[in-house]
Amino acid sequence: VDESVPPETLESRTLDGLAKYIKEGRAKRIVVMTGAGISTSAGIPDFRSPDTGLYANLARLNLPYAEAVFDISFFRENPLPFYTLAHELYPGKYRPTVTHSFIRLLHDKGHLLKLFTQNIDCLEREAGVPGTKIIEAHGSFARQSCIECKASYPDEDMKQHIAAQTIPRCLRESCGGLVKPEIVFFGEQLPAEFFMSRGLPAQADLCIVLGTSLTVQPFASLPSMCSEGTPRLLINQEVVGGLGSRPDDVLLIGDCDTGVRRLADACGWRDELETLWANT
Ligand code: APR
């Protein structure tokens, strides 16, 4: 690090350097990796922020430990805590943030290779990122099925149960198993398409990590799969996942909506971004 340059100048220079790299057309295969931090400004709590995070506020569900709410063996024993929470988290009540719109803008401009998200709120889709560009590594509420016989379960019935906070059961008489949205619980496998796409970070010419603690594997390993020499940008309230360890890493530590606006400004995309978001 050039000691003679004050840190903020270094940061803005690297941010400006990154914007230059993008504007010169050298970032045509951007891989974006997101977590709950990009949806907090939409009103959806993240998981691990000390006071506001979901795991700090589940005491009312008297769980043995916070992550039990998303644990498949606990769910089998007691599905009620999950369905109480699902009522609060169910998509449809929230609007995408300007960070979601920034990812959509990257796609519109032909720079987005793939978005890997850990979020289950479907806000990326609602922001207009095409499904073909999204890997929902931890699943989503988009579909639901019986955890015993795997039979799919009708969307309308699910919406009614979520609204009423009641427990949906498999419609097959001989089964009657618990129905669960296809969210990846602790103890379950990630979707096959996650593993099929794990070669993409190595093909990226820019990696952008937004709003995640990078604490849950195997998602947390994605940024390290980028080739040496590929710039990696972290926009997050805290330094995570070894970002900053490589010479081409750029760290924007702070709010992600503020960070994406700064990058949009540097790229000359700010008006486009605000218009896109205003119409979402
Ligand atoms: N701007 C920038 N960063 C933010 C903001 C914000 N507005 N809000 C929160 N953050 C940061 C937090 O500081 C934290 O580093 O986002 C990160 C959120 O981390 P987590 O709460 O752990 O969420 P996430 O990384 O998505 O969790 C991963 O854990 O429980 C499982 O399956 C669940 O997908 C989830 C996975």
Side-chain angles (χ1 to χ4, degrees), residues 11 55 89 98 208 252 278:
E11 184 189 56
Y55 291 150
L89 289 179
V98 71
I208 303 180
L252 275 190

Side-chain angles (χ1 to χ4, degrees), residues 169-280:
R169 290 237 170 227
C170 185
L171 298 177
R172 290 177 54 198
E173 288 303 309
S174 57
C175 180
L178 281 168
V179 169
K180 178 179 87 52
E182 293 179 0
I183 293 168
V184 180
F185 273 34
F186 292 107
E188 288 188 308
Q189 271 299 335
L190 274 68
E193 67 169 343
F194 173 83
F195 297 103
M196 289 190 298
S197 308
R198 275 216 297 193
L200 291 177
Q203 296 169 31
D205 48 23
L206 173 59
C207 171
I208 303 180
V209 182
L210 303 168
T212 174
S213 62
L214 288 178
T215 41
V216 175
Q217 294 295 357
F219 190 98
S221 300
L222 288 174
S224 63
M225 293 175 179
C226 295
S227 310
E228 287 295 333
T230 298
R232 301 185 307 173
L233 167 65
L234 171 71
I235 307 181
N236 201 61
Q237 277 169 352
E238 51 183 355
V239 182
V240 295
L243 273 298
S245 60
R246 296 183 183 183
D248 295 303
D249 288 352
V250 179
L251 304 182
L252 275 190
I253 301 310
D255 177 74
C256 51
D257 290 346
T258 306
V260 298
R261 283 183 160 123
R262 280 186 58 192
L263 180 54
D265 277 333
C267 292
W269 298 346
R270 180 67 182 273
D271 291 346
E272 260 179 288
L273 174 63
E274 298 299 347
T275 306
L276 197 57
W277 184 49
N279 296 317
T280 299

